[in-house]
Amino acid sequence: MAIETATAQMPPRPMRADARRNYERLLAEARTAFTRHGTDASLEDIARRAGVGIGTLYRHFPNRTALMGAVFQGEICALLERSRELAKAPRPCQAMIDWLRAIVDHASTYRGLSRALMACSGDETSALSRGCGLPLREAGSELLARAQQSGAVRSDVVIADLMQLTNAIALAVEQSPDDPELADRLLALAFTGLKAR
């Protein structure tokens, strides 16, 4: 028991230089592939373009969602920072809408991301949920609570529903690239349903 506890508390070993280079190349190639071809891009192609075998990809990323979580980590950090800035904004409801718009912009950059986030929303053990979905939901909870406390948003709105709605809007935007106003129209329509009476 004591050995298990000690092992669980040990920090991960640093990567060898060659393993670190492979990891970074895989992330760079995955980001490019996900941007060009969507999150269903071939993992074999990503490994090949990174100059490694598929086994090396799986040693670093045990599944597609783990790779997606690692690729999107930088953007998630930026979205979390944006939520902290907006938490101080004088108009809580507008701050929440601005943040949801930022999520739509991020998710619609990568075809399939919004669908993957919707699919993993009920599975808190998935790498994508832990790395992306849950941190975004926590940040959104604070912005939603401020908007509700200001009296602008109904008290029965929950963040899980709001995140699913936001991902659905991102999916619609992804499917309609020739309509740059779609996200704003759909967010405005959604806000009509969120408004406190």
Side-chain angles (χ1 to χ4, degrees):
M1 188 76 150
I3 294 173
E4 286 176 19
T5 305
T7 304
Q9 293 176 353
M10 289 178 57
R13 284 187 345 197
M15 281 190 219
R16 295 183 332 252
D18 61 333
R20 169 59 64 188
R21 281 191 301 273
N22 288 342
Y23 180 87
E24 295 298 334
R25 282 197 310 263
L26 283 164
L27 281 181
E29 290 301 332
R31 182 173 286 108
T32 299
F34 291 163
T35 302
R36 289 184 184 158
H37 309 293
T39 57
D40 290 334
S42 164
L43 297 184
E44 288 82 5
D45 284 348
I46 291 170
R48 183 177 47 76
R49 289 180 185 278
V52 300
I54 191 67
T56 299
L57 183 146
Y58 282 120
R59 269 193 300 281
H60 288 292
F61 310 102
N63 53 49
R64 180 180 299 275
T65 58
L67 178 58
M68 289 168 63
V71 166
F72 304 134
Q73 195 57 52
E75 287 102 332
I76 297 303
C77 289
L79 285 168
L80 296 176
E81 178 58 33
R82 181 74 176 128
S83 77
R84 287 188 285 275
E85 292 168 7
L86 289 167
K88 300 170 192 159
R91 295 170 47 210
C93 190
Q94 187 59 51
M96 184 189 71
I97 293 169
D98 290 347
W99 189 70
L100 295 176
R101 181 64 160 104
I103 291 175
V104 169
D105 289 344
H106 163 64
S108 57
T109 301
Y110 301 98
R111 192 173 69 246
L113 176 57
S114 51
R115 187 178 62 242
L117 286 170
M118 290 173 81
C120 80
S121 67
D123 179 10
E124 295 185 359
T125 64
S126 92
L128 189 59
S129 184
R130 284 192 321 269
C132 298
L134 293 175
L136 291 178
R137 194 179 308 166
E138 270 181 39
S141 291
E142 293 178 30
L143 293 171
L144 174 59
R146 282 188 74 227
Q148 288 170 322
Q149 289 162 5
S150 76
V153 174
R154 292 175 12 203
S155 61
D156 63 337
V157 175
V158 295
I159 193 60
D161 292 346
L162 191 54
M163 294 304 291
Q164 285 288 69
L165 180 60
T166 303
N167 284 319
I169 291 171
L171 184 57
V173 169
E174 173 190 310
Q175 299 297 316
S176 305
D178 297 332
D179 188 352
E181 306 299 321
L182 182 61
D184 292 324
R185 288 197 319 271
L186 292 177
L187 281 169
L189 188 60
F191 178 66
T192 301
L194 298 174
K195 276 185 183 176
R197 302 209 186 285

